[in-house]
Structures are given as C-alpha cells and as structure tokens.
Amino acid sequence: MIRKAKPSDVSTIVSLTKACAKAMIAKEIYQWNEHYPTQARFEKDIALEESYVLEHTGKIVGTIVITELMDDEYIPVQWLTDNQNNVYIHRLAVHPDFWGQGYAQQLMDWAEEYAREHAFLSIRLDTFSQNKRNQRFYETRGYKRLGIIYFPKQSEHPFYCYELVL
C-alpha cells in the first residue's frame, strides 16, 4: 500500500534512507551522505504533503517524493516539455533488505499513474551519474536523459536529469 507520509513516519524514513546510503557506499556509489537527505528535508516534504511511503506487511519499505516545484538546479536543463504542469520525483528509496523485489517499480508505477491522473505533461527527475543501476531503471521505463546538474554537497560527480513525457 502506498500512502501519504505522516510526521510520525519521519524517523522510519530517515533510518530507511541511511540504510540505503550505507548500502550504496558499500557498492562505491557515493550518492547520499551526511548532508543529504536530512531529517529536516523529510519533515518539510511531509509538511508540504509531497512525501509518500510504501508499506509491506505493515512496515515502511520504501519512500518517494512527488512535487510540482522545480529545483533551481533544474533551470538550465533543456527539457522536452515546457516548464509548467510537470511533476518532479525526489528521494525515491527502498530499504536494502527489499532491493530487487519490485518495490521501486511499484513506487514508480504509482507515481506515473498519479501524474497521468492529475494531467501532468511529464515526470522529471535526476539520478547519480555513478549509479548505473538507477540509470538503467529509468531508461528501461522510457525516461530520456537530457542533461547534467551538480549538487556539490552530495558529490563532485554530476547527476543526470531525466524526463518522461506522458
């Protein structure tokens, strides 16, 4: 079941994303660190009602943020659609104990259906240039790689921007 995250979910979401960061670092993917994502960021996501969680047998196993707000870092990207009526995906994570079981697919299926139901033109997101698995994941779903951006507090390596026109 996917539902809106509640303030009481913050600690679980933080623990889940820390476990993801640790598992990625073990694979030499330095995408998340002590600067990102933060508890304050998740609290803000929930306050804005943009955070969702995926539960399996009553336990939160995944999370995703869906927002209409475009980050400033995205401004220079040459998107496929106009910069209006788009939705952005951030902080998609599945606890490493559940990797490879289709939960990320389920979250993205749900997000894409949400975007279609709300008549958005496209879905936009970014993924770390050193995370080849994520790149294949989005490209297999039909997302087009369009440009690169940087988040200096996260990594010296770029992040690739993707868009799926609905």
Side-chain angles (χ1 to χ4, degrees), residues 60-124:
I60 294 174
V61 299
T63 186
I64 190 170
V65 171
I66 303 171
T67 181
E68 295 179 48
L69 302 174
M70 182 170 79
D71 291 342
D72 289 343
E73 290 85 357
Y74 285 8
I75 292 171
V77 176
Q78 295 297 306
W79 299 102
L80 299 172
T81 60
D82 290 337
N83 288 336
Q84 56 187 5
N85 201 30
N86 312 100
V87 68
Y88 299 85
I89 303 293
H90 297 298
R91 295 173 284 290
L92 170 65
V94 173
H95 193 285
D97 291 348
F98 297 91
W99 284 0
Q101 297 180 35
Y103 292 112
Q105 293 277 4
Q106 190 176 339
L107 282 162
M108 285 306 297
D109 288 347
W110 183 85
E112 290 166 8
E113 185 58 29
Y114 173 95
R116 285 184 185 94
E117 285 177 2
H118 291 85
F120 288 101
L121 296 176
S122 72
I123 300 174
R124 298 172 175 180

Side-chain angles (χ1 to χ4, degrees), residues 113-160:
E113 185 58 29
Y114 173 95
R116 285 184 185 94
E117 285 177 2
H118 291 85
F120 288 101
L121 296 176
S122 72
I123 300 174
R124 298 172 175 180
L125 53 86
D126 65 77
T127 194
F128 190 46
S129 61
Q130 306 302 298
N131 192 334
K132 305 298 183 202
R133 183 176 181 196
N134 274 6
Q135 293 165 42
R136 284 190 304 276
F137 175 74
Y138 293 119
E139 290 168 7
T140 299
R141 298 184 71 84
Y143 287 76
K144 303 295 180 213
R145 186 188 310 177
L146 301 174
I148 62 171
I149 58 175
Y150 289 87
F151 296 104
K153 287 186 176 180
Q154 282 179 253
S155 175
E156 63 188 32
H157 298 289
F159 286 71
Y160 296 146

